[in-house]
Amino acid sequence: MSASDYIPKFVLPDISIDAISNEITGEVNSLKSLVAEGERDLESSNRALENSEVNITKYETQIADLASAFEFYQETKCFINDYSKLLNLKIDYIEKVENDIYALFKKRCNDTRSVRRLEQERLAIQVGIIKSESDTRVAAHHCDIPKTSPDSDEEVEQDFVKKYNAIVDRSETVMSDVRKEYSEITFVKQCFEKWKIHQRESYKNAYITQCLPRVFSPLIRLEMLGWNPLQPRCPNFEDYSWFLSLMTYGYQEVQDPSTDDPDTNLIPIVVHKSSLPEGHPTGEALLGSVLDSANPAVDRVAEIVLRGLPLHR
């Protein structure tokens, strides 16, 4: 047996030009798909890169404003927290001074009535209207009057003025240990004005308009201590510094007239909530007689309240 008989025989597949062409075409199409997919990914990456560059430029220009807004909110938060703590500490003193001065007004009223009664009784004795038996009873009545009772309007007024000035002097010390930015409405309102002007949307969302009467009320009540519109020569609201200050609250020289200002009725609301609250001695007296009074101060207060609020009697 020859060596050629041990060489294995290989059967080659049928190879044709069409088969080779189809194989190459398939590979080419597969590569084209990969290239197209890569081009789409590249295009998407380029768009993302462009957007990122735009955002970087945008945020680089806004970073100063964002930092300023953050700093503003931090300062505002600290101011409001400190101011709230201050009011919690001082409100009892303010109410104490208010109650003292209204008690003094009431005492003057009672003393004046006592003086009037005594004068009438003395006059009745002098003109002989009361009979002899009644005269004896009236004289005994005069002897029973405590020596501490005033004998004339002048004494009543002197006692009132002395005690009134003492209470006013005491009221001036309520905020004597507080810095101006927390004790004067002109400075307090600046914090909320900045919020309203520079961050109007968050100012609205925080319902600051509804909170302002409570913010300003303690300082207004302290300033208007002893205000009584039923008394002659009572100063008008327009003469008080808080009124002049709040008149320009949030005002801007350049302002869109179509802009809805939520604080349009700020002063009527503050007057109603601060100076004429329900149960307030002066408020009750005023609201009970405002429609029948000819006092200019009363009429002016009624006009302010009625302009923006209904008057509940």
Side-chain angles (χ1 to χ4, degrees), residues 137-204:
R137 187 169 57 254
V138 172
H141 172 71
H142 283 298
C143 294
D144 294 336
I145 297 177
K147 299 299 183 181
T148 56
S149 299
D151 293 330
S152 65
D153 289 341
E154 184 177 354
E155 290 184 9
V156 171
E157 191 62 24
Q158 289 177 353
D159 181 68
F160 172 80
V161 171
K162 179 181 178 180
K163 293 180 179 179
Y164 177 84
N165 291 337
I167 295 175
V168 172
D169 292 341
R170 181 154 51 91
S171 70
E172 293 176 354
T173 65
V174 172
M175 293 292 184
S176 60
D177 58 342
V178 180
R179 294 186 300 182
K180 288 185 177 181
E181 55 263 37
Y182 296 100
S183 62
E184 296 183 9
I185 285 184
T186 301
F187 294 96
V188 173
K189 79 163 189 172
Q190 290 178 357
C191 172
F192 297 94
E193 276 185 322
K194 291 179 182 178
W195 194 349
K196 178 180 180 179
I197 294 172
H198 300 296
Q199 303 292 337
R200 193 176 187 87
E201 190 65 25
S202 65
Y203 177 92
K204 180 179 178 181

Side-chain angles (χ1 to χ4, degrees), residues 30-43:
S30 177
L31 293 174
K32 285 182 177 180
S33 298
L34 293 175
V35 171
E37 183 178 356
E39 290 177 347
R40 287 193 297 271
D41 292 340
L42 177 61
E43 183 178 358

Side-chain angles (χ1 to χ4, degrees), residues 5-262:
D5 294 337
Y6 294 99
I7 298 175
K9 296 181 179 179
F10 295 95
V11 179
L12 297 175
D14 294 334
I15 299 175
S16 64
I17 294 177
D18 292 337
I20 296 174
S21 177
N22 291 336
E23 186 70 20
I24 294 174
T25 301
E27 292 294 331
V28 170
N29 291 335
S30 177
L31 293 174
K32 285 182 177 180
S33 298
L34 293 175
V35 171
E37 183 178 356
E39 290 177 347
R40 287 193 297 271
D41 292 340
L42 177 61
E43 183 178 358
S44 176
S45 299
N46 289 335
R47 285 197 301 268
L49 179 60
E50 292 176 359
N51 293 334
S52 299
E53 292 175 347
V54 171
N55 290 332
I56 290 173
T57 304
K58 175 183 176 181
Y59 294 136
E60 283 179 346
T61 58
Q62 291 182 349
I63 191 169
D65 295 335
L66 294 174
S68 177
F70 177 77
E71 182 179 0
F72 167 78
Y73 283 124
Q74 290 295 102
E75 292 177 353
T76 302
K77 178 182 177 181
C78 292
F79 176 86
I80 293 176
N81 287 339
D82 292 342
Y83 185 70
S84 299
K85 294 177 181 178
L86 170 68
L87 293 185
N88 289 333
L89 291 173
K90 297 295 185 179
I91 193 64
D92 290 339
Y93 295 99
I94 295 175
E95 291 179 351
K96 178 65 168 59
V97 172
E98 278 185 328
N99 292 334
D100 289 346
I101 203 162
Y102 289 122
L104 180 62
F105 273 109
K106 185 175 181 179
K107 181 178 182 301
R108 182 178 68 167
C109 180
N110 293 334
D111 290 345
T112 302
R113 288 176 179 174
S114 298
V115 170
R116 294 288 187 275
R117 186 181 67 252
L118 292 176
E119 289 178 350
Q120 292 174 358
E121 292 175 351
R122 288 166 182 164
L123 180 61
I125 294 175
Q126 291 174 0
V127 298
I129 296 179
I130 303 179
K131 301 298 182 179
S132 59
E133 294 181 0
S134 300
D135 290 344
T136 304
R137 187 169 57 254
V138 172
H141 172 71
H142 283 298
C143 294
D144 294 336
I145 297 177
K147 299 299 183 181
T148 56
S149 299
D151 293 330
S152 65
D153 289 341
E154 184 177 354
E155 290 184 9
V156 171
E157 191 62 24
Q158 289 177 353
D159 181 68
F160 172 80
V161 171
K162 179 181 178 180
K163 293 180 179 179
Y164 177 84
N165 291 337
I167 295 175
V168 172
D169 292 341
R170 181 154 51 91
S171 70
E172 293 176 354
T173 65
V174 172
M175 293 292 184
S176 60
D177 58 342
V178 180
R179 294 186 300 182
K180 288 185 177 181
E181 55 263 37
Y182 296 100
S183 62
E184 296 183 9
I185 285 184
T186 301
F187 294 96
V188 173
K189 79 163 189 172
Q190 290 178 357
C191 172
F192 297 94
E193 276 185 322
K194 291 179 182 178
W195 194 349
K196 178 180 180 179
I197 294 172
H198 300 296
Q199 303 292 337
R200 193 176 187 87
E201 190 65 25
S202 65
Y203 177 92
K204 180 179 178 181
N205 294 336
Y207 298 98
I208 299 301
T209 297
Q210 287 77 3
C211 299
L212 290 179
R214 290 183 175 273
V215 171
F216 298 130
S217 175
L219 300 181
I220 293 174
R221 289 160 57 187
L222 195 59
E223 182 179 350
M224 297 187 66
L225 185 69
W227 172 77
N228 187 353
L230 302 180
Q231 293 291 327
R233 299 182 299 276
C234 176
N236 293 323
F237 270 68
E238 292 88 339
D239 297 331
Y240 286 93
S241 61
W242 70 262
F243 187 96
L244 298 175
S245 181
L246 296 186
M247 276 288 293
T248 59
Y249 178 81
Y251 174 75
Q252 294 177 272
E253 294 184 358
V254 181
Q255 184 171 343
D256 185 359
S258 63
T259 302
D260 182 22
D261 188 354

